[in-house]
Amino acid sequence: QGWEVYGMEFSQFAVNYVKEKLGIEMFEGDLSSVDFGNKKFDAVTMWHVLEHTKNPLEVLRKIKAILNNDGVLILAVPNLNNKISQVIYRILKGRRLHLFSPHDRELHLIFFTPASLHKILEKVGFEVLEVAPDYGCIRWQERLLNGMNKLFYLISGEIIFDAFEVRARPRG
């Protein structure tokens, strides 16, 4: 659709797969390890990445530096305010939802709420355009839960989904 697309991934297997199967230019590693020179981007997307980074402020500063002034950052992260999920988990498991375990398959180093991510983005120099529920789930249980969360969202305006999306742009 006219976009010049680049990707970034930690997994060498994923980098090779995307290059070979999709023909997309890929970088292996994290954002701080790549020098883009003077290249600027119209859009940067991060789907469930920021919560895995050691220093989200550093990552967001780098993104701001490589975005055009009228560019957009679109990201999604898990939501620490996923109240319905926490209640259901407590009922089914008989204990509180854990936030961290070194045995987790995908280690989350940082947890966000819509309000906390909004503040971090503003601190780095972004203007937040929108905070919205992340409807991107695959399993039927998640879709059912998102249906309940959507009803609550429509009534209260509070984002209690398991994840949320943010759209932001660099501030003047």
Side-chain angles (χ1 to χ4, degrees):
Q1 299 201 10
W3 290 87
E4 184 179 338
V5 178
Y6 297 87
M8 180 161 293
E9 173 59 50
F10 289 106
S11 163
Q12 183 179 16
F13 171 81
V15 167
N16 292 337
Y17 180 87
V18 171
K19 280 181 176 180
E20 293 169 14
K21 300 289 184 187
L22 303 176
I24 294 174
E25 181 64 33
M26 292 291 292
F27 299 98
E28 184 180 344
D30 65 13
L31 196 57
S32 63
S33 66
V34 177
D35 180 10
F36 294 104
N38 293 329
K39 187 152 190 63
K40 295 281 190 170
F41 296 89
D42 294 319
V44 173
T45 62
M46 294 179 71
W47 300 109
H48 295 273
V49 173
L50 197 60
E51 66 272 15
H52 300 281
T53 64
K54 292 178 184 174
N55 190 337
L57 288 172
E58 179 183 311
V59 171
L60 292 170
R61 284 185 185 108
K62 175 82 178 210
I63 290 170
K64 186 173 182 283
I66 64 172
L67 268 176
N68 286 319
N69 291 335
D70 59 349
V72 64
L73 166 63
I74 305 167
L75 60 87
V77 294
N79 186 4
L80 190 58
N81 280 346
N82 59 348
K83 295 172 185 172
I84 292 176
S85 291
Q86 290 180 32
V87 168
I88 291 172
Y89 186 91
R90 189 170 215 151
I91 290 168
L92 294 177
K93 300 282 188 173
R95 64 180 190 273
R96 293 181 65 165
L97 182 66
H98 75 277
L99 293 180
F100 173 82
S101 169
H103 305 294
D104 286 341
R105 184 172 50 101
E106 296 177 351
L107 197 59
H108 292 181
L109 301 175
I110 308 287
F111 294 89
F112 300 98
T113 66
S116 69
L117 187 54
H118 192 281
K119 286 180 184 178
I120 290 169
L121 285 162
E122 285 188 340
K123 180 178 182 169
V124 173
F126 281 96
E127 173 189 359
V128 175
L129 305 172
E130 181 181 16
V131 178
D134 178 13
Y135 293 107
C137 57
I138 298 169
R139 298 188 319 237
W140 69 267
Q141 300 94 332
E142 292 171 332
R143 290 195 306 268
L144 177 65
L145 183 59
N146 265 352
M148 290 188 292
N149 289 332
K150 184 175 184 177
L151 181 61
F152 186 85
Y153 174 67
L154 293 173
I155 293 168
S156 71
E158 189 175 351
I159 297 172
I160 61 169
F161 285 70
D162 279 346
F164 63 95
E165 298 176 6
V166 175
R167 289 168 191 75
R169 67 175 172 216
R171 224 183 0 236

